Amino acid sequence: AQSVTQPDIHITVSEGASLELRCNYSYGATPYLFWYVQSPGQGLQLLLKYFSGDTLVQGIKGFEAEFKRSQSSFNLRKPSVHWSDAAEYFCAVDHTGGFKTIFGAGTRLFVKA
Amino acid sequence: DTGVSQDPRHKITKRGQNVTFRCDPISEHNRLYWYRQTLGQGPEFLTYFQNEAQLEKSRLLSDRFSAERPKGSFSTLEIQRTEQGDSAMYLCASSLSVAGVNEQFFGPGTRLTVL
């Protein structure tokens, strides 16, 4: 069965510092991969997605993610974090064509001044 | 606002009562999904509709849960005889099915508290 692991329950970074959130998935083939962000009181917002092709994908709000097949990873990065990036981030995978997305448990990002 | 909307945003009920939630998807979207999210966890898939047909149900969806999408537009999720373990955020999402993977757009959720 598919699974998604986000090893870090929470991360604290200073404003302006770089960020990397880890995500590992378990699935035989290459699934479709997503990163979502959830702010308090808000719905999940898609940051970026990977289906095929270039393994470095660019998303909204200055985020990017790199798919590494050999490591079954899809880590999210941002070169300079802003205070408004404080939120919960979810990695997700899907191999069904979009109707049964499996989410990780999430990583809560705290940004300190 | 043309996003996914959910009503109510919050619901507090007593154990044993029935509750019903509504989801209005983005108007041209033919797929609609329900998820449940508990504290400290990611969303868990419950069920999904393509137009009015319910095509997939998770084992999480016990017989106390029922979802409908009668005209292929809005959807309702009903929980009968609520239990404290039903307390969670219930999320709705919609997508437009085209070739490849469909991007899901999420609503703000309905937070259910069962006392």
Side-chain angles (χ1 to χ4, degrees), chain A residues 32 34 36 38 41-44 46 49 51 90 94 97-101 103-105, chain B residues 9 31 33 35 37 40-43 45 48 56 91 100-104 106-108:
Chain A
Y32 303 111
F34 309 85
Y36 287 86
Q38 187 176 39
Q42 304 295 316
L44 287 154
L46 181 68
K49 59 195 175 196
F51 297 160
F90 293 95
D94 176 26
F99 70 80
K100 197 168 183 178
T101 305
F103 287 81
Chain B
R9 295 290 303 274
R31 285 188 177 178
Y33 314 78
Y35 292 85
Q37 185 178 20
Q41 298 298 316
F45 171 84
Y48 111 97
E56 180 83 12
L91 298 170
V101 180
N102 318 138
E103 178 180 343
Q104 297 181 30
F106 283 81

Side-chain angles (χ1 to χ4, degrees), chain B residues 56-71:
Chain B
E56 180 83 12
K57 290 170 62 173
S58 163
R59 280 172 287 180
L60 293 174
L61 215 64
S62 76
D63 56 6
R64 296 185 298 106
F65 288 69
S66 62
E68 294 182 342
R69 194 183 183 199
K71 297 182 180 179

